[in-house]
Amino acid sequence: IAVFQQFGQQIERLRLEMYKRLADVRALPEVDELRAELVDRYGEPPEAVEVLLEVARLRVRVRDAGMTEVTSAGPNIRFAPLKLPDSAQMRLARVYPRSQYKVAAEVALVPRPKTAPIGGQALRDRELLEWTRTVIDTLVPAEAPANA
């Protein structure tokens, strides 16, 4: 029994170490390196781990876009601070109908997407993370690499 307890403690320590490393990620290549390490150690990760990796990717993109907050706010997803030029405000209204942009507060409220316009369920998990990254990419295009 002591061997099983020791093994369980080691697994818990490794799991916490991976969570910490994911939280410390600052660039997309770091997420890819961490995923490769996980695959090397444990094989293909389960869906829950893939979602955690997507969260890390989204956190990097949010930071790169200059935002500190992407949260659920009722039926909307709130992006802040987000300073949008007039052209990006028009793009927001065109691509995401019923969105609101509050200039003074530098906040965009985008209706949370659903699986269908009428009677659909709100997107969740990986689909919601991917949609959120698409919204950010639409409003704040990523900078081209310096050597491009």
Side-chain angles (χ1 to χ4, degrees):
I1 293 178
V3 171
F4 289 118
Q5 289 175 338
Q6 186 178 23
F7 183 68
Q9 291 170 349
Q10 184 178 11
I11 289 174
E12 182 67 14
R13 184 183 54 78
L14 289 171
R15 187 172 65 85
L16 291 174
E17 177 188 323
M18 285 299 163
Y19 282 142
K20 182 178 179 347
R21 288 181 59 197
L22 269 175
D24 291 341
V25 164
R26 296 287 178 248
L28 292 178
E30 292 178 50
V31 179
D32 297 335
E33 290 169 12
L34 189 53
R35 185 186 187 285
E37 182 180 334
L38 288 169
V39 168
D40 184 51
R41 281 187 184 184
Y42 308 109
E44 284 298 315
E47 181 63 17
V49 173
E50 292 290 2
V51 170
L52 285 175
L53 292 167
E54 280 302 311
V55 169
R57 287 183 184 96
L58 179 61
R59 286 179 59 241
V60 168
R61 182 64 182 106
V62 166
R63 188 178 311 112
D64 289 349
M67 289 183 269
T68 57
E69 177 184 355
V70 175
T71 57
S72 181
N76 299 308
I77 303 297
R78 174 186 163 100
F79 298 85
L82 186 60
K83 186 173 263 186
L84 294 179
D86 291 343
S87 60
Q89 291 177 44
M90 289 174 34
R91 188 177 322 117
L92 173 68
R94 184 182 76 247
V95 177
Y96 302 102
R98 297 185 330 275
S99 293
Q100 301 173 35
Y101 180 67
K102 300 178 181 192
V103 177
E106 296 182 345
V107 170
L109 296 171
V110 182
R112 186 178 180 143
K114 294 184 176 187
T115 56
I118 299 174
Q121 298 295 315
L123 289 188
R124 300 181 43 172
D125 302 325
R126 200 172 194 172
E127 292 81 15
L128 181 59
L129 294 169
E130 291 168 358
W131 174 86
T132 302
R133 192 157 35 146
T134 300
V135 171
I136 295 169
D137 290 345
T138 300
L139 300 177
V140 185
E143 292 185 26
N147 60 2

